[in-house]
């Protein structure tokens, strides 16, 4: 999709569809006043009927409007300033109505809607993300590729003239780059486990290195053995697909500047191993690589935005399957850090592959480390599907993520990383167990990772509830690419 800003008056607008907000009680936003008189009076009639119906804020698609050639979408908003959610809902409503037309071009006058504490560039960025979300189609493994093709090709955002055009253009650049990262993440995540294997993920990471600022290095199982990554290799033993450790370095900042490390769980299929999962919905465990996919997505966004930061992305990638040679409950493995782990449940494999990846990350002397993982079902019980969990050892980093989450609307909620919980990991036979029992499963998982991040300013994102949707609209969400991109934009701005 192509996006632009425009300050043409509405009577000079030549796009196929005008998306105009109207306020409740029914009156057109002043922006429409330049439409021909017959159009205005016809629209006023429509709004009067709407008002009489008592509908609060419908989105109306109008054809054959007198005096104009275009279709008009009237988008109802409350007279007072909207909150973020109401604006995002408005965008979704507009996108689905727009999808019913065959308009190729549209002008959004929605930039004139008041959204509490948000400026035009925020409204533009969110509109682009909503448009790309509604235009997203997964067809990689379908035989008919052009299924349900979206005719919309371009959206123009109308400016009142008071805002900085440069900032709005930047918002378009940011919106498009973030959307591209989200799309890459969704595409990878939606692929089935038989296609998106650790080797496939590694190949995609190598493709990213086509960008001059990105270098990709892939470690195979031999390399891992040399590094004594006993935990990561133990998970991979139950699978015939060889594991990979994917390392992507983006150099946008100063040569000697310490990087931000993003460590993403890339478990391409989690059957649970010998602690086999129940069959229902097990297909969704192809999404257990969403943390890793989001790291690739962010790399894509960074390259597109040319953000002045250094970022290293580390993605341990493996399958978790039951096999005669698989890791068994009770087995003890030695991690790269030297710490030993009693594996009481082979289904708690994410932390096993992540702990070695985290220790590996030490060599980059990172300024901050954020890991991203579909780590615990318990996180879905705690937070549902709206907010990701965040826990960390460095409160300023956690705060920065919370702030980036509020701005991006790809939100997080903090859970406590208190010492007390760590005791649940006690083992009689090793330095720690890999599970801490049923209570506070998300927290004990983070406590486990904390034992491998003592040298870092570190935060952990549990995206088990937010990385994909189940049910009829089953599919990856691309979260938390926007959150991470916003965090990095803020970090770069803070210098
Ligand atoms: N990948 C799963 C977590 C998960 C489950 C994410 C369902 C999204 C939906 C992870 O590897 C896992 O199996 N965790 C176990 C940990 C338990 C054995 C301590 C879980 O959450 O049940
Ligand atoms: Mn598991
Ligand atoms: Zn898993």
């Amino acid at each position: 999709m192509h996006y632009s800003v425009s300050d043409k008056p509405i009577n000079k607008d030549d796009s196929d569809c005008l998306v105009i907000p109207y306020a409740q009680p029914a009156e057109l936003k002043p922006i429409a006043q330049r439409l021909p008189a017959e159009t205005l009076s016809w629209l006023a009639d429509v709004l009067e009927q709407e008002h009489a119906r008592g509908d609060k804020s419908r989105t109306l698609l109008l054809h054959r409007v007198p005096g104009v050639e275009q279709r008009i979408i009237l988008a109802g908003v409350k007279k007072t300033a909207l909150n973020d959610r109401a604006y995002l809902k408005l965008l979704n409503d507009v996108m689905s109505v727009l999808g019913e037309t065959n308009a190729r071009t549209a002008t959004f006058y929605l930039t004139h809607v008041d959204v509490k504490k948000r400026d035009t560039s925020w409204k533009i960025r969110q509109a682009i993300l909503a448009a790309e979300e509604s235009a997203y189609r997964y067809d990689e493994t379908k035989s008919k590729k052009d299924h349900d093709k979206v005719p919309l090709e371009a959206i123009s955002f109308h400016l009142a003239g008071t805002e900085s055009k440069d900032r709005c253009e930047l918002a378009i650049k940011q919106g498009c780059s973030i959307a591209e990262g989200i799309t890459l993440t969704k595409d990878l995540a939606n692929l089935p486990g038989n296609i998106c294997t650790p080797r496939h993920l590694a190949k995609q990471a190598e493709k990213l290195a086509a960008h001059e600022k990105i270098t990709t290095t892939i470690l195979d199982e031999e390399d891992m053995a040399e590094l004594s990554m006993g935990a990561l290799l133990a998970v991979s033993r139950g699978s015939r697909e060889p594991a990979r450790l994917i390392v992507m370095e983006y150099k946008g900042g100063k040569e000697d500047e310490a990087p931000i490390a993003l460590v993403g769980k890339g478990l391409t299929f989690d059957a649970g191993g010998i602690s086999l999962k129940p069959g229902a919905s097990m297909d969704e465990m192809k999404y257990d690589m969403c943390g890793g996919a989001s790291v690739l997505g962010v790399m894509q966004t960074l390259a597109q935005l040319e953000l002045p930061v250094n970022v290293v992305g580390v993605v341990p990638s493996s399958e978790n399957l039951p096999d005669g040679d698989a890791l068994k409950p009770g087995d003890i493995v030695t991690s790269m850090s030297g710490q030993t782990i009693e594996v009481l449940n082979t289904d708690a494999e994410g932390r096993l592959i992540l702990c070695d990846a985290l220790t590996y990350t030490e060599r980059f002397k990172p300024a901050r480390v954020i890991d991203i993982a579909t780590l615990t079902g318990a996180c879905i019980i705690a937070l549902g599907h709206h907010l990701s969990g965040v826990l960390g050892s460095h409160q300023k980093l956690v705060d920065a993520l919370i702030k980036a989450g509020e701005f991006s609307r790809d939100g997080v909620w903090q859970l406590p990383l208190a010492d007390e919980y760590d005791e649940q990991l006690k083992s009689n036979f090793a330095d720690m167990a890999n599970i801490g029992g049923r209570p506070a499963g998300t927290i004990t998982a983070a406590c486990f990772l904390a034992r491998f991040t003592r040298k870092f300013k570190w935060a952990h994102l549990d995206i088990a509830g937010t990385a994909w949707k189940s049910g009829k609209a089953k599919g990856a969400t691309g979260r938390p690419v926007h959150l991470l991109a916003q965090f990095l934009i803020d970090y770069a701005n803070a210098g």
Side-chain angles (χ1 to χ4, degrees):
M1 197 96 71
H2 182 263
Y3 302 94
S4 58
V5 290
S6 150
D7 47 16
K8 270 192 228 164
I10 197 163
N11 52 335
K12 296 268 159 53
D13 191 327
D14 55 5
S15 63
D16 297 343
C17 185
L18 312 180
V19 183
I20 304 170
Y22 69 94
Q24 291 286 341
E27 67 181 34
L28 280 175
K29 285 264 169 182
I31 186 66
Q33 298 312 317
R34 290 236 211 158
L35 288 169
E38 60 173 322
T39 310
L40 281 174
S41 72
W42 194 85
L43 290 175
D45 269 359
V46 171
L47 290 188
E48 208 172 294
Q49 285 169 36
E50 269 304 287
H51 193 49
R53 281 181 50 129
D55 272 325
K56 276 277 142 47
S57 47
R58 287 210 305 174
T59 301
L60 309 166
L61 172 59
L62 309 175
H63 293 275
R64 297 170 188 269
V65 181
V68 293
E69 306 220 327
Q70 296 104 323
R71 262 144 302 174
I72 290 182
I73 292 177
L74 287 182
V77 298
K78 297 208 186 75
K79 207 165 192 177
T80 50
L82 301 185
N83 62 22
D84 290 356
R85 256 189 89 202
Y87 177 70
L88 297 187
K89 179 173 182 301
L90 181 75
L91 289 174
N92 279 337
D93 290 351
V94 164
M95 288 317 304
S96 71
V97 170
L98 199 50
E100 289 165 24
T101 75
N102 51 7
R104 291 178 174 277
T105 59
T107 306
F108 277 28
Y109 291 84
L110 299 175
T111 34
H112 298 263
V113 171
D114 285 335
V115 184
K116 278 177 218 158
K117 294 192 210 140
R118 303 300 188 197
D119 62 6
T120 308
S121 49
W122 185 89
K123 288 182 253 180
I124 289 177
R125 195 206 285 184
Q126 294 291 349
I128 292 174
L129 290 167
E132 293 294 326
E133 167 73 27
S134 92
Y136 180 80
R137 296 287 181 276
Y138 172 87
D139 58 15
E140 189 66 33
T141 42
K142 292 183 182 176
S143 58
K144 290 199 189 67
K145 299 289 180 207
D146 59 349
H147 130 105
D148 203 9
K149 199 164 179 308
V150 190
L152 192 65
E153 287 165 3
I155 294 176
S156 175
F157 298 103
H158 190 265
L159 301 186
T162 49
E163 56 281 269
S164 139
K165 206 168 170 184
D166 286 352
R167 290 200 51 191
C168 294
E169 305 265 13
L170 177 63
I172 291 180
K173 190 173 169 198
Q174 290 176 336
C176 291
S177 316
I178 294 165
E180 261 193 52
I182 289 174
T183 300
L184 173 63
T185 300
K186 285 182 183 171
D187 280 342
L188 289 170
N190 284 328
L191 282 175
N194 62 329
I195 295 176
C196 189
T197 58
R199 284 180 293 172
H200 180 84
L201 261 192
K203 231 183 257 157
Q204 301 312 304
E206 275 172 336
K207 272 199 193 163
L208 286 173
H211 192 276
E212 55 166 344
K213 289 195 166 72
I214 298 182
T215 341
T216 298
T217 315
I218 307 294
L219 278 66
D220 61 19
E221 293 196 347
E222 234 173 81
D223 301 322
M224 294 174 206
E226 218 153 278
L227 289 161
S228 312
M229 295 185 162
L232 172 44
L233 284 168
V235 173
S236 184
R237 270 180 63 170
S239 148
R240 297 190 185 175
E241 275 293 333
R244 292 288 183 263
L245 185 73
I246 301 164
V247 184
M248 296 158 286
E249 287 173 84
Y250 170 82
K251 287 230 159 68
K254 294 194 200 79
E255 189 62 40
D256 56 349
E257 200 177 277
I260 304 274
L262 302 177
V263 182
K265 174 178 175 183
L267 216 291
T268 58
F269 190 78
D270 181 13
I274 295 298
S275 313
L276 193 63
K277 285 185 182 296
S281 304
M282 206 209 269
D283 66 292
E284 294 185 11
M285 282 296 114
K286 72 175 183 182
Y287 288 121
D288 212 15
M289 36 61 78
C290 282
S294 75
V295 176
L296 270 79
V298 171
M299 287 286 161
Q300 168 77 39
T301 298
L302 286 171
Q304 208 68 32
L305 261 186
E306 309 220 287
L307 211 59
V309 285
N310 293 334
V311 177
V312 48
V314 179
V315 178
S317 186
S318 164
E319 293 182 326
N320 185 27
L321 295 176
D323 178 85
D325 198 35
L327 182 67
K328 306 175 291 300
D331 285 0
I332 292 175
V333 301
T334 304
S335 65
M336 180 179 175
S337 72
Q339 299 177 89
T340 60
I341 304 160
E342 184 186 14
V343 179
L344 290 176
N345 189 321
T346 65
D347 198 11
E349 85 298 335
R351 58 198 82 181
L352 295 175
I353 68 171
L354 284 168
C355 72
D356 281 346
L358 286 163
T359 303
Y360 180 82
T361 302
E362 287 176 9
R363 68 189 52 211
F364 299 103
K365 302 197 167 37
R368 307 275 189 283
V369 179
I370 302 166
D371 79 78
I372 308 105
T374 48
L375 203 62
T376 63
C379 194
I380 309 177
I381 304 303
L383 298 176
H385 300 286
H386 301 295
L387 297 173
S388 307
V390 62
L391 304 96
S393 57
H394 187 64
Q395 191 55 39
K396 278 193 186 146
L397 174 57
V398 172
D399 289 341
L401 287 164
I402 292 171
K403 183 168 156 261
E406 282 169 358
F407 187 84
S408 62
R409 300 294 302 171
D410 182 353
V412 296
W413 195 263
Q414 186 174 14
L415 298 175
L417 188 71
D419 284 350
E420 295 87 315
Y421 296 93
D422 183 76
E423 287 165 24
Q424 287 172 231
L425 296 174
K426 198 181 164 317
S427 159
N428 287 349
F429 307 105
D431 297 345
M432 71 195 89
N434 78 326
I435 55 170
R438 279 183 42 94
T442 304
I443 300 175
T444 54
C447 287
F448 181 96
L449 297 176
R451 290 173 177 238
F452 299 84
T453 57
R454 303 263 187 247
K455 294 178 182 155
F456 301 144
K457 290 176 176 164
W458 162 75
H460 158 65
L461 297 174
D462 195 326
I463 58 167
T466 53
W468 77 91
K469 288 184 185 138
S470 310
K472 240 181 114 188
K474 192 190 288 181
T477 61
R479 289 178 70 178
V481 169
H482 193 177
L483 163 71
L484 293 168
Q486 184 57 40
F487 167 80
L488 292 167
I489 289 169
D490 290 342
Y491 190 82
N493 283 342

